């Protein structure tokens, strides 16, 4: 099997399973019967597609398992079974298991290991229980019962080989092809265990045209490594005028039923041939043929006396075939339609290629900055004009390249619906998760990395935030708690908010605990924000009862680290009895930003342009008389500022010669000023990460290469803003800076 | 000529000995069929000698099968009396080696 197509299979399964989970979660919210049936049909299709794809790759474990799920879904669709909470949970578990099976097979394991097999068996057993329960009163769904009676006893046949059924077209010989060559070729793919020649189609001697081909074969091929694709390729040239059915090893018995129905020969004879060539055990054959008899009996029982048994079999055959064909045709149409619309909308690209592209664009940006620098030295207006044009294009290319990596956050959000559902059930709480801003776009790498921290925060909100129903009722709140998840853009960042209407963070409790654990000193004066942020300290947990979900004090510090590694930042607002809001601010992208270039001393720095509010001149009159005070009056507002030359330790004498400027930045609603020596203007900034040595360097978030080839540091605005504010409050000397 | 009626064939005792040589392929099969058709009604025991056959394809096998069906239906017999390695391999590939032993007289 080719790696590429296998990867596509894995990707597709992931998408499908994601869709399945989404559909399952929504299932409980639907109240109309038709709505449920529609949703179930959708689920059925989703699982069916997974099954089909897995069958193509000969992944029998997946096929069998999916089939069980499908059977139960089928029952629901036929309204023989009602959906309840338990069933949805079972489907969710099945979905998870399926995801594991897919992962397992992607790793190249065709076999299940013991633990997987155990889960597999358990789930199938649970699913089958639903099938058995309803079979007591099932009577008239011939199509269903036919498959179910056989399936329940036996999911797949015992045959470990491929079964290939061939009926060659009349013109095969005339077209210069010889059936023997196909068999010979099959012999190269695997070991041909048996060949049965079917000569039933050869007419009487007088009608026999020796140049026509009337031959058919039933072949048993043992080849555990082959895929259906490979085998299909064997018959590529004759597929148009031949009937070829290929059944993978341990195929589901349905496949054989369908094959037998599709072939022109009489069922009984085919059954015997299949037994003879080892495709089926005689028990399996009897099972198949009995089912069909059973159906015919049913038909006669339903009062159609005209139908004599042999004809009845044929009639049923026709009916079954007819229904299947119609179903298949409808499905095919849908698939084609879907494929077409998908093809127009999206194209799958390897993430690495995309990464490469963005890297290259980054180099292009640096290169063009270099060219521009040299061009500006040459007094040539035409060159300048061309350069301007080029720069504009580069900028557009950059934006487009970055937008390629942008993904809507909705899919990630939807995952949490399930988390909230399960966690709240477990804790005996009733909680709604409200999602908004799902269409907000964010860099794919950031989305991937923010998933786990978000999960943790949401669990915390459900676990610690929302009170238990009786406590809520006593507090005069609705019994049902609400957690909302929101995403929106705010000045060059994306903000993800997790809001709960729970008890809020108890400041005194947090403080007490922190002192207990020695995280802060006893007599330390802390602002509300600082107290809230204590929950992100390592080894901190205030939950009185440690549940298996949260409360172990592991994680929140990891959450903070993860967010900070993305150059992000967490803010907490909370009110006792009202609830809490956690706001995560993240940069839109990790690759290239619009920067604002400044000079401090002899060095150049970059401030992300989106965060820059304005630039003002630092006039003497603005500065208060007291030299030590680090704030100015900006149009009646207090603006704390910091001299970057002091922070970065560049010599002050140099600065004196210049008229200083203040860059006013805003982050998370807080404003601060950076005093710089010179404003150099906009700069397309390709963010280069700093090495490990600089990991603990506060105030710098990365570096970039300027057109001249010099390195400029990118200022970590959130960190710096905090530092400015803390500085103003004289708390800069706190040994452990808390933010 | 790809097909030859051998000496020893006798209408009175119903034995027809046919020997095939050169090729029995899609290119010659139609004429072979016509030649056999000419003899079909006059004999009831057919013996085929395939040892001199140089080339064979599935149309040849198919012809043998059609002939076998025909003679069996009329209560006659068909037997391959001699064959070479090429033919025997062919019959084996198709799993029909025992079809032409002449034992299955009905």
């Amino acid at each position: 099997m080719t790696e590429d197509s296998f990867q596509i299979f894995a990707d597709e399964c992931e998408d499908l399973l994601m869709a399945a989970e989404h559909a399952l979660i929504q299932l409980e919210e639907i109240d109309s019967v038709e709505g449920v049936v529609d949703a179930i049909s959708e689920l059925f299709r989703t699982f069916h597609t997974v099954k089909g794809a897995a069958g193509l790759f000969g992944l029998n474990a997946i096929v069998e398992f999916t089939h069980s799920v499908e059977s139960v879904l089928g029952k629901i669709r036929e309204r023989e079974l009602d959906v309840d909470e338990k069933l949805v949970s079972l489907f969710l578990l099945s979905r998870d298991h399926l995801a594991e099976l897919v992962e397992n097979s992607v790793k190249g394991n065709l076999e299940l290991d013991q633990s997987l097999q155990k889960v597999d068996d358990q789930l199938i057993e649970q699913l089958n229980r639903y099938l058995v329960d309803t079979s007591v009163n099932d009577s008239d769904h011939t199509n269903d019962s036919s498959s179910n009676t056989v399936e329940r006893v036996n999911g797949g046949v015992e045959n470990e080989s491929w079964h290939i059924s061939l009926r060659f077209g009349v013109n095969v010989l005339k077209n210069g092809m010889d059936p023997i060559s196909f068999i010979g070729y099959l012999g190269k793919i695997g070991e041909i265990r048996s060949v049965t020649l079917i000569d039933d189609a050869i007419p009487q001697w007088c009608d026999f045209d020796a140049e026509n081909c009337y031959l058919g074969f039933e072949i048993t091929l043992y080849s555990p490594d082959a895929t259906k694709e490979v085998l299909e390729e064997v018959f590529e040239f004759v597929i148009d005028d031949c009937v070829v059915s290929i059944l993978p090893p341990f195929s589901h018995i349905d496949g054989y039923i369908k094959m037998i129905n599709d072939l022109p020969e009489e069922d009984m004879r085919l059954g015997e041939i299949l037994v003879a060539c080892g495709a089926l055990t005689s028990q399996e054959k009897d099972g198949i043929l009995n089912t069909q008899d059973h159906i015919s009996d049913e038909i006669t029982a339903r009062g159609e006396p005209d139908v004599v048994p042999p004809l009845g079999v044929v009639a049923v055959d026709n009916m079954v075939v007819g229904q299947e064909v119609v179903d298949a045709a409808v499905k095919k149409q849908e698939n084609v339609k879907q494929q077409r619309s998908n093809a127009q909308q999206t194209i799958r690209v390897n993430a690495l290629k995309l990464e490469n592209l963005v890297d290259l664009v980054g180099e292009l940006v640096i290169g063009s900055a270099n060219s521009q620098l040299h061009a500006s030295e040459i007094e040539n207006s035409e060159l300048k004009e061309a350069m301007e044009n080029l720069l504009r294009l580069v900028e557009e290319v950059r934006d487009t390249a970055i937008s390629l990596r942008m993904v809507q956050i909705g899919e990630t959000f939807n995952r949490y619906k399930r988390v909230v559902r399960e966690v709240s059930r477990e804790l005996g709480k009733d909680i709604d998760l409200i999602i908004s801003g799902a269409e907000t776009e964010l860099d794919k790498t950031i989305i991937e990395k923010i998933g786990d921290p978000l999960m943790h925060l949401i669990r915390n909100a459900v676990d610690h935030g929302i009170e238990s129903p009786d406590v809520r009722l006593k507090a005069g709140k609705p019994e049902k708690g609400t957690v909302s998840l929101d995403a929106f853009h705010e000045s060059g960042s994306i903000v993800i908010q997790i809001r709960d209407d729970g008890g809020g963070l108890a400041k005194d409790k947090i403080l007490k605990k922190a002192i207990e654990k020695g995280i802060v000193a006893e007599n330390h004066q802390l602002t509300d924000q600082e107290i809230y942020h204590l929950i992100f300290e390592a080894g901190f947990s205030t939950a009185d009862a440690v549940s298996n979900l949260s409360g172990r004090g592991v994680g929140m510090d990891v959450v903070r680290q993860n967010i900070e590694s993305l150059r992000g930042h967490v803010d907490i607002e909370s009110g006792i009895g009202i609830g809490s809001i956690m706001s995560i601010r993240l940069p839109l992208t990790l690759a290239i930003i619009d920067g604002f270039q400044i000079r401090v001393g002899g060095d150049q720095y970059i401030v992300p342009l989106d965060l820059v509010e304005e630039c003002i001149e630092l006039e003497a009159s603005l500065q208060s008389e007291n030299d030590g005070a680090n704030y100015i009056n900006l149009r009646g507002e207090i603006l704390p500022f910091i001299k970057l030359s002091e922070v970065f330790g560049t010599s002050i004498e140099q600065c004196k010669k210049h008229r200083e400027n203040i860059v006013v930045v805003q982050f998370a609603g807080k404003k601060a000023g950076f005093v710089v020596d010179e404003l150099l203007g906009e700069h397309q900034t390709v963010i280069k990460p700093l090495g490990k040595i600089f990991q603990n360097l506060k105030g710098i978030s990365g570096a970039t290469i300027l057109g001249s080839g010099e390195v400029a540091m990118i200022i970590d605005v959130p960190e710096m803003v905090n530092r400015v504010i803390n500085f103003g409050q004289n708390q800069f000397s706190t040994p452990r800076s808390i933010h | 000529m790809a097909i030859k009626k051998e000496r020893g064939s006798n209408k009175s005792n119903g034995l027809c000995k046919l020997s095939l040589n050169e090729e029995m392929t899609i290119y010659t099969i139609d004429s072979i069929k016509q030649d056999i058709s000419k003899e079909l009604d006059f004999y009831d025991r057919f013996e085929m000698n395939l040892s001199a056959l140089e080339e064979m394809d599935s149309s040849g096998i198919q012809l043998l099968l059609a002939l076998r069906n025909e003679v069996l239906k009329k209560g006659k017999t068909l037997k391959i009396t001699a064959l070479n390695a090429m033919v025997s391999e062919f019959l084996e590939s198709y799993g029909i080696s025992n079809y032409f032993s002449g034992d299955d007289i009905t």
Side-chain angles (χ1 to χ4, degrees), chain A residues 173-174 178-180 183 195-197 199 202-215 217, chain B residues 26 29-30 33 36-37 40 57-59 61-63 65-70 73 90 93-96 99:
Chain A
L173 289 167
K174 281 182 199 155
D178 191 333
I180 192 81
I183 293 171
V195 175
T196 309
L197 193 148
D199 59 357
I202 299 179
Q204 283 189 21
W205 185 261
C206 50
D207 299 325
F208 172 65
D209 181 343
E211 289 181 356
N212 281 351
C213 183
Y214 305 99
L215 298 173
F217 296 91
Chain B
I26 184 79
I29 203 75
D30 200 41
K33 191 215 161 187
I36 294 177
S37 299
L40 212 52
D57 68 11
S58 295
S59 69
I61 298 288
Q62 186 176 264
L63 183 91
L65 287 167
L67 182 62
R68 176 174 175 268
N69 288 345
E70 179 70 12
K73 199 178 73 191
F90 217 110
S93 298
Y94 277 168
I96 50 170
Y99 270 38

Side-chain angles (χ1 to χ4, degrees), chain A residues 296-317:
Chain A
S296 73
D297 288 350
E298 252 175 29
I299 286 188
T300 20
R302 260 189 279 146
E304 289 171 40
D306 295 346
V307 188
V308 267
L311 274 179
V313 175
V314 177
V316 173
D317 273 357

Side-chain angles (χ1 to χ4, degrees), chain A residues 172-203:
Chain A
V172 166
L173 289 167
K174 281 182 199 155
N175 291 342
M177 275 169 287
D178 191 333
I180 192 81
S181 54
F182 295 105
I183 293 171
Y185 190 60
L186 283 177
K188 283 180 193 158
I189 293 175
E191 178 197 336
I192 295 179
R193 290 250 165 113
S194 97
V195 175
T196 309
L197 193 148
I198 311 289
D199 59 357
D200 297 35
I202 299 179

Side-chain angles (χ1 to χ4, degrees), chain A residues 542-563:
Chain A
T542 58
D544 295 328
V546 173
S547 69
N548 66 336
L549 301 161
S550 44
R552 293 207 181 108
V554 189
M556 279 307 253
D557 56 322
V558 180
V559 168
R560 190 190 64 183
Q561 271 171 27
N562 281 343
I563 292 171

